[in-house]
Amino acid sequence: MKECVKVKRLLSRYLDKEAGVKDAIFVEEHLKRCPFCKIELSELTRAKEFLSEKQRKALPQDYLVCRLREEIAGSRNRQESLSWLVGMGNLSRRLIPIPVTVIALSIAFLVLSSRQQVNKYSLEEHILSGNQTTAEVALGLILGTED
Amino acid sequence: MNEDSLYIEQFLVGEEEGFEMLVRKYQDRVLNIVYSLIGQDREAEDIAQEAFLKVYHNLASFKQRSQFSTWLYRIVVNVTYDFLRKRKNFINDEAMLKSIPATYDGPKDSLLIKEREALIRKVIGKVPFKYRAAVVLKDIEGLSYIEISKILRCSIGTVESRIYRARQFLKEELFKVRGELI
């Protein structure tokens, strides 16, 4: 029984012709006497044969090479476009304040002009309402400080 | 200097042809390993491509302390494992069995081959990945225990035990599927 345990441990190695000479002789001697280990070996052999019967796949010669060329060229292009951005780094850092200032000034101008627009109407409304329009009131309406 | 080393040297001096020669030489072996590990065609090609891309990007750092094939197969096994882990569904048996046409116009032998192929894929799919990787490298690729131990980064004893366990799984699954060993 102890021998069976030892042999079972060696069976895969023996089957794959990886066992040393001593181990191989030991297994073969045991197999002559032990029908259980013989059955185990035959089952393992059939499992091995079953797997090795698997069909082999084959790709056309340059199939994968072409796919890889495309993929590598694509990743290279992506890298180049990224490196262009990195190269632009210093210049863009210097140029960033210009559009930011322009945008900020534009927003300020729009806000102020829209407020003036609103206040102009307010001034017109004030005049049309028939109330007294002093210079102080008019200026206040234009600047938006007058209610 | 062996053939692979020459191709690697060629690639390292800027000739892409060196890499392409390696791809041509190993593409079918890589495909068959991946295909045996995952059991699906289209995805096997994608994984093989991803593995070769890794080789392309890391070939300059390959020190050639081991054989190129050992390094390549290790990448292949790792990429496949990552793919399966992401998918969290090692092999979808139902999808696999559905891939066999219900009516097949070809010769009867072809149908038998297809059925057998589906059965093999189904049975292999039941074997845990670490055992499957060892037995596929042995029985599909025909590598030695020492080569497998280098690829899987484990001892020869572990390889032996994994292959034995994988065959035990195969044996049991075949009994379940067919009621007897084929």
Side-chain angles (χ1 to χ4, degrees):
Chain A
M1 202 60 189
K2 266 186 185 176
E3 211 176 76
C4 287
V5 175
K6 197 179 169 186
V7 167
K8 276 188 181 172
R9 274 211 304 265
L10 286 168
L11 275 183
S12 248
R13 197 183 271 251
Y14 173 76
L15 178 62
D16 290 324
K17 297 183 171 50
E18 293 262 358
V21 180
K22 266 188 184 176
D23 284 341
I25 292 169
F26 171 71
V27 170
E28 278 161 13
E29 289 300 316
H30 177 81
L31 290 174
K32 282 178 194 167
R33 305 187 297 271
C34 180
F36 302 108
C37 286
K38 207 170 179 179
I39 290 170
E40 176 76 3
L41 178 67
S42 109
E43 285 173 353
L44 287 176
T45 308
R46 289 161 93 174
K48 182 181 165 75
E49 284 168 0
F50 172 76
L51 201 58
S52 52
E53 278 168 16
K54 196 170 185 321
Q55 275 189 314
R56 297 290 188 273
K57 300 271 170 191
L59 289 170
Q61 175 82 355
D62 277 343
Y63 175 76
L64 207 52
V65 166
C66 290
R67 277 182 63 162
L68 284 161
R69 271 184 203 155
E70 278 176 27
E71 187 62 34
I72 290 163
S75 70
R76 206 169 275 163
N77 287 341
R78 282 192 293 275
Q79 273 182 348
E80 276 169 14
S81 62
L82 281 173
S83 68
W84 179 79
L85 278 175
V86 171
M88 284 294 287
N90 289 334
L91 185 59
S92 57
R93 265 200 294 276
R94 268 180 248 151
L95 293 176
I96 278 172
I98 296 170
V100 168
T101 311
V102 168
I103 291 166
L105 284 173
S106 306
I107 292 168
F109 175 76
L110 285 171
V111 169
L112 281 174
S113 64
S114 66
R115 280 180 82 178
Q116 280 181 352
Q117 193 83 9
V118 170
N119 288 325
K120 267 180 191 171
Y121 287 126
S122 300
L123 179 60
E124 282 162 15
E125 280 168 353
H126 184 80
I127 293 164
L128 288 171
S129 70
N131 291 328
Q132 194 181 1
T133 311
T134 60
E136 194 183 349
V137 169
L139 190 64
L141 286 168
I142 290 166
L143 294 174
T145 54
E146 192 77 20
D147 292 329
Chain B
M1 192 179 267
N2 65 27
E3 192 182 43
D4 292 351
S5 300
L6 284 172
Y7 294 147
I8 293 167
E9 291 299 318
Q10 204 179 339
F11 174 74
L12 293 179
V13 295
E15 290 176 36
E16 301 266 307
E17 181 63 17
F19 170 70
E20 292 180 1
M21 289 304 287
L22 289 169
V23 176
R24 285 189 194 100
K25 180 175 172 182
Y26 287 102
Q27 64 172 17
D28 290 344
R29 286 181 238 184
V30 167
L31 184 76
N32 279 301
I33 292 172
V34 178
Y35 179 62
S36 302
L37 290 173
I38 69 160
Q40 289 177 13
D41 274 340
R42 281 177 294 125
E43 285 164 331
E45 286 175 16
D46 293 341
I47 293 168
Q49 178 178 321
E50 199 185 324
F52 277 115
L53 273 177
K54 284 207 171 199
V55 168
Y56 179 85
H57 292 300
N58 293 291
L59 200 51
S61 60
F62 172 55
K63 302 279 188 289
Q64 300 201 49
R65 281 189 217 119
S66 61
Q67 282 188 349
F68 171 76
S69 59
T70 305
W71 184 64
L72 169 67
Y73 293 152
R74 190 182 302 143
I75 291 173
V76 169
V77 171
N78 289 339
V79 170
T80 309
Y81 180 71
D82 286 343
F83 166 82
L84 292 171
R85 200 179 47 182
K86 278 180 204 158
R87 201 175 62 176
K88 289 183 181 170
N89 174 19
F90 274 31
I91 287 183
N92 185 341
D93 299 334
E94 279 182 32
M96 241 161 34
L97 290 173
K98 276 178 190 166
S99 69
I100 311 166
T103 53
Y104 185 71
D105 298 330
K108 210 177 174 183
D109 280 355
S110 301
L111 179 59
L112 286 174
I113 290 167
K114 275 182 178 280
E115 278 181 347
R116 191 176 185 84
E117 196 65 15
L119 178 67
I120 294 173
R121 288 188 309 196
K122 183 177 180 176
V123 170
I124 297 176
K126 301 274 184 186
V127 179
F129 186 82
K130 61 179 182 179
Y131 304 149
R132 198 189 319 167
V135 84
V136 161
L137 290 171
K138 179 71 216 166
D139 290 342
I140 302 287
E141 190 52 28
L143 300 180
S144 68
Y145 281 24
I146 193 159
E147 283 171 307
I148 298 170
S149 75
K150 283 178 189 166
I151 292 166
L152 301 179
R153 286 193 163 137
C154 59
S155 67
I156 293 176
T158 306
V159 171
E160 182 182 11
S161 144
R162 287 183 186 180
I163 289 172
Y164 179 76
R165 282 171 187 271
R167 286 179 183 150
Q168 289 292 338
F169 265 102
L170 287 173
K171 199 179 81 177
E172 285 162 21
E173 288 304 321
L174 281 169
F175 270 122
K176 280 184 206 165
V177 174
R178 284 279 175 99
E180 59 168 23
L181 268 175
I182 297 163

